[in-house]
Amino acid sequence: MFAGADPTANNSTIAHGLSFHNSLLYPENFTHFGYANPHAPKGGSLRKGVSGSFDTFNTFAPKGIVAEDSYFLYDPLMVRAGDEPYSVYGLIARQIEYPDDFRWVIYHLNPHARFHDGHPITSEDVVYTFQSLQKKGPPHYRHLYGIIETVEALSPTSVRFRFSEPPAKSLILRLSQLRVLPAHYWQQPDHDLFKATLKPPLSSGPYRIKEFSPGRFVTYERVTDYWAAELAVNKGRHNFDLIRTDYYRDDGIALEAFKKGEYDLRIDANPRSWSQAYKSTKTGKTTFIQEKIANKSLGMRAFVFNLRKPVFASRKVRKAIAQALDFNWMNQHLFFGMYHQAYSLFPNSDLAADLPPSDQETALLAPWQDELPDELFTHRWEPVQTDGSGNWRRNKTLAFQWLKAAGYRYQNKRLVDPLGQPLTFEMLLTDPEHERFVMPFVHNLAELGISASINTVDASRYINRIRKFDFDMIIHGFYPSITPGTELKNFWSSASADSDAGQNLSGIKLQSLDRMIDQAIMATTREELVLYTRAIDRIVLWHYAVIPQWYLPYWPMVYRPGLRHPEIAPPFDNGLSTWWREF
């Protein structure tokens, strides 16, 4: 049954895409993305290698370790462009329709859209997908789609979403990237959408699973009769006939396998291997190509405090612990100068609070002065600075001052609280390579009398502990989009902190932060978004919920001769979907 047409649709906009910034780079009749080569040859294979394992292809299951590239088995309604901060263009949905206030949105589906079994992709599949994820999906789906009131199939190729209140444009853009599931497949009794399984699912994307060995490798084959191959958003993309990913126990083993020729491409952000592992042979023969492909994607790595733990209840303690991270020494002696010190949650972008707060920001945060530190209103947050020599005496003195102010005293080379209990915590890791730079941090903490132990576990145990928030401190990468929206709520909101398997790993809960997140999500201009993300930046960093480590303003690609990519790289994407094999 299909609902009737929307009586208010007469004053609506119908378009081939949607942009956060109101202006699309590509017109309705565009032929291909500017960073794709429409003449790229099809064929050959791409072999990749990663460390870890996998036990499911189901990206919607709340448990399990998902196989590499499984996310791309299903096509979305619309595709995000890699050379615009936030714009989407039609794929399954050939057009999007909406009124000025976005109280509803209609997706008009391409009548040629098909799943791999030939079954048409219809509005009923969209309805099934949304309702399933909203009712039983991982928590972030319920957070993301909380204000969607109804979803209705108006016809086989038109589906309407209604909102209980005017939504943020970022929500519409995220909704537009909804991957559409085959209702006729997942409604079968022996198929459970929320169960981790290695049964290859019926899918719709440019590739399907060809073969795999659990935890060892997975091979995807290009779908030769893929219905969307000639659409503008796909022209010049998805060029390899086969894409294989091999799994290795750790990155060291993966590197040696790469050097032996077992696979073709690595994204290698390991400073030691980047600077030393890919030397030319004595004959000068080029075995590897190393290339820094510039990007403007956001992201940084950080030590994350679990604020749910009593040991980290005091901001003074967290601030003191942060003084023990000597980034400049690590970068010079361990990282070959490869990394850039992270100074923000949004480094390498205009979203970063890299100056003292403006009058506008100060006024914005003034209502929450009681829960925010005084220095937030007068200074920019800065990471700990050292000269790289390993002498951190000044920072150590500051750390002792804050620890003393928190009620701790130094006794018998240990830091103890008023009850005589030592300050101890566990650093939970999953990559043995991380121990190399964590150990100097732990050493400096020991000089403060803080006992920090390192516990490196396998990927499965690590993921299960993270989902239960069963950790003291971890290393985590935060990678929002260049136009962040609902991921801000996932990373930093009180609701996410309280949610089972939520993504607010630190557990930070502040009314001011929740308010700024809501305002950022509802921003309608870049200027508004910048204002609110800078406020978020200041709140999280001055609260010392995390200790930023580093970031890279480029993709560190290493690949074998024979792989090619367009001269123009997308600034907001790694561009691998546009690479091809030279014959």
Side-chain angles (χ1 to χ4, degrees):
M1 294 293 293
F2 299 107
D6 193 316
T8 65
N10 293 333
N11 297 322
S12 63
T13 297
I14 301 177
H16 67 292
L18 181 68
S19 174
F20 183 86
H21 300 289
N22 299 321
S23 178
L24 291 166
L25 176 62
Y26 296 99
E28 186 170 4
N29 61 347
F30 82 103
T31 58
H32 62 279
F33 287 133
Y35 53 87
N37 175 9
H39 306 296
K42 303 289 186 185
S45 64
L46 172 65
R47 299 175 301 167
K48 301 186 293 181
V50 297
S51 57
S53 183
F54 71 93
D55 57 17
T56 184
F57 296 115
N58 187 357
T59 61
F60 302 99
K63 297 181 179 181
I65 304 173
V66 178
E68 183 87 356
D69 294 329
S70 292
Y71 186 90
F72 302 105
L73 289 172
Y74 291 108
D75 273 340
L77 290 167
M78 308 185 83
V79 175
R80 185 167 183 171
D83 54 354
E84 297 177 75
Y86 207 165
S87 296
V88 294
Y89 295 87
L91 180 53
I92 289 176
R94 58 185 177 85
Q95 291 178 319
I96 181 172
E97 181 176 358
Y98 52 88
D100 290 343
D101 64 359
F102 284 101
R103 288 300 293 263
W104 52 263
V105 61
I106 296 174
Y107 296 98
H108 298 289
L109 309 188
N110 191 314
H112 301 294
R114 295 288 186 275
F115 293 106
H116 291 163
D117 63 354
H119 194 284
I121 301 176
T122 71
S123 56
E124 297 287 0
D125 295 303
V126 180
V127 172
Y128 166 78
T129 301
F130 172 78
Q131 291 180 342
S132 298
L133 294 178
Q134 189 183 49
K135 291 177 182 177
K136 298 181 180 180
H140 66 272
Y141 283 105
R142 294 193 288 277
H143 295 155
L144 178 61
Y145 301 137
I147 67 169
I148 296 177
E149 198 169 55
T150 61
V151 55
E152 304 168 277
L154 304 179
S155 74
T157 56
S158 293
V159 59
R160 178 178 61 207
F161 292 83
R162 285 189 181 276
F163 303 91
S164 58
E165 58 189 63
K169 186 180 284 189
S170 60
L171 172 60
I172 305 296
L173 288 161
R174 287 291 298 273
L175 179 63
S176 298
Q177 296 171 79
L178 179 71
R179 293 173 291 155
V180 181
L181 301 168
H184 69 286
Y185 174 85
W186 287 108
Q187 288 176 331
Q188 295 177 23
D190 55 340
H191 296 154
D192 186 345
L193 178 58
F194 302 109
K195 181 179 180 181
T197 176
L198 284 169
K199 182 176 182 179
L202 172 65
S203 49
S204 61
Y207 289 90
R208 62 163 63 96
I209 298 166
K210 180 182 181 182
E211 59 182 346
F212 66 94
S213 177
R216 294 181 58 231
F217 76 87
V218 56
T219 301
Y220 300 90
E221 63 179 352
R222 185 166 59 86
V223 179
T224 55
D225 60 350
Y226 175 46
W227 73 273
E230 297 302 313
L231 293 186
V233 295
N234 285 329
K235 197 72 174 176
R237 301 175 63 222
H238 315 307
N239 300 314
F240 299 104
D241 283 346
L242 298 173
I243 298 178
R244 171 171 169 143
T245 298
D246 290 320
Y247 284 78
Y248 300 90
R249 187 169 66 248
D250 58 51
D251 192 63
I253 297 174
L255 172 61
E256 292 306 313
F258 177 72
K259 292 165 68 175
K260 292 177 182 177
E262 293 182 14
Y263 61 99
D264 306 312
L265 178 143
R266 284 169 56 82
I267 300 177
D268 194 344
N270 182 302
R272 180 167 55 183
S273 57
W274 178 264
S275 62
Q276 296 184 338
Y278 308 108
K279 305 285 187 183
S280 299
T281 63
K282 293 181 179 179
T283 63
K285 181 180 179 181
T286 301
T287 307
F288 313 110
I289 298 171
Q290 281 182 270
E291 187 174 5
K292 296 179 180 180
I293 300 179
N295 78 77
K296 295 182 180 179
S297 299
L298 298 187
M300 62 97 192
R301 297 183 66 83
F303 288 111
V304 182
F305 293 101
N306 187 349
L307 304 184
R308 303 169 185 84
K309 299 289 187 173
V311 66
F312 298 135
S314 170
R315 176 178 170 272
K316 295 183 180 71
V317 169
R318 302 194 298 273
K319 190 174 182 179
I321 289 174
Q323 305 307 305
L325 179 62
D326 190 342
F327 168 81
N328 290 321
W329 184 90
M330 290 181 182
N331 205 32
Q332 290 180 30
H333 293 83
L334 301 179
F335 302 149
F336 301 88
M338 180 179 184
Y339 291 137
H340 295 235
Q341 187 172 20
Y343 57 92
S344 165
L345 303 179
F346 313 103
N348 197 32
S349 82
D350 58 345
L351 305 178
D354 55 359
L355 294 171
S358 64
D359 291 343
Q360 190 178 14
E361 288 178 79
T362 301
L364 182 68
L365 293 173
W368 291 280
Q369 283 183 309
D370 290 345
E371 74 171 11
L372 300 174
D374 292 340
E375 55 262 54
L376 180 150
F377 293 91
T378 56
H379 295 78
R380 59 165 289 199
W381 184 91
E382 295 186 71
V384 172
Q385 296 298 318
T386 65
D387 61 8
S389 68
N391 183 347
W392 67 296
R393 183 178 303 158
R394 176 180 175 275
N395 295 325
K396 187 192 299 184
T397 300
L398 292 173
F400 274 126
Q401 291 174 358
W402 288 315
L403 289 166
K404 182 179 179 181
Y408 283 88
R409 68 183 189 277
Y410 194 71
Q411 177 180 298
N412 298 326
K413 297 184 178 182
R414 294 194 311 169
L415 204 65
V416 296
D417 65 16
L419 298 178
Q421 296 300 311
L423 202 168
T424 66
F425 65 89
E426 178 189 82
M427 182 81 68
L428 182 66
L429 306 176
T430 188
D431 187 344
E433 184 68 24
H434 291 173
E435 295 177 8
R436 183 165 164 262
F437 65 82
V438 171
M439 289 178 68
F441 181 44
V442 169
H443 173 78
N444 284 355
L445 289 172
E447 291 188 18
L448 294 174
I450 299 173
S451 175
S453 61
I454 298 174
N455 183 13
T456 304
V457 299
D458 61 49
S460 179
R461 289 178 60 197
Y462 183 82
I463 290 172
N464 287 332
R465 287 189 61 176
I466 296 301
R467 284 172 173 163
K468 298 175 182 177
F469 304 125
D470 179 21
F471 64 90
D472 296 334
M473 179 180 280
I474 58 171
I475 296 169
H476 188 72
F478 295 91
Y479 301 102
S481 69
I482 190 63
T483 306
T486 52
E487 66 263 42
L488 297 173
K489 188 180 288 286
N490 295 335
F491 290 162
W492 309 114
S493 74
S494 298
S496 181
D498 293 334
S499 175
D500 291 340
Q503 296 179 38
N504 183 347
L505 299 177
S506 72
I508 185 172
K509 296 171 65 175
L510 295 171
Q511 291 183 5
S512 56
L513 184 55
D514 289 337
R515 178 62 174 167
M516 294 303 105
I517 290 170
D518 289 340
Q519 294 291 93
I521 291 173
M522 294 302 295
T524 58
T525 67
R526 186 72 181 180
E527 292 72 22
E528 286 183 2
L529 182 64
V530 167
L531 174 66
Y532 295 122
T533 55
R534 289 180 179 177
I536 291 168
D537 207 11
R538 298 185 199 281
I539 293 170
V540 173
L541 294 181
W542 278 112
H543 195 68
Y544 286 91
V546 298
I547 308 174
Q549 296 174 342
W550 47 79
Y551 71 98
L552 284 177
Y554 56 85
W555 296 100
M557 297 288 195
V558 191
Y559 54 96
R560 295 185 177 281
L563 290 180
R564 296 288 302 278
H565 64 78
E567 292 183 9
I568 300 174
F572 306 116
D573 184 272
N574 66 22
L576 282 178
S577 69
T578 67
W579 289 42
W580 68 89
R581 171 80 56 187
E582 187 176 49
F583 296 100

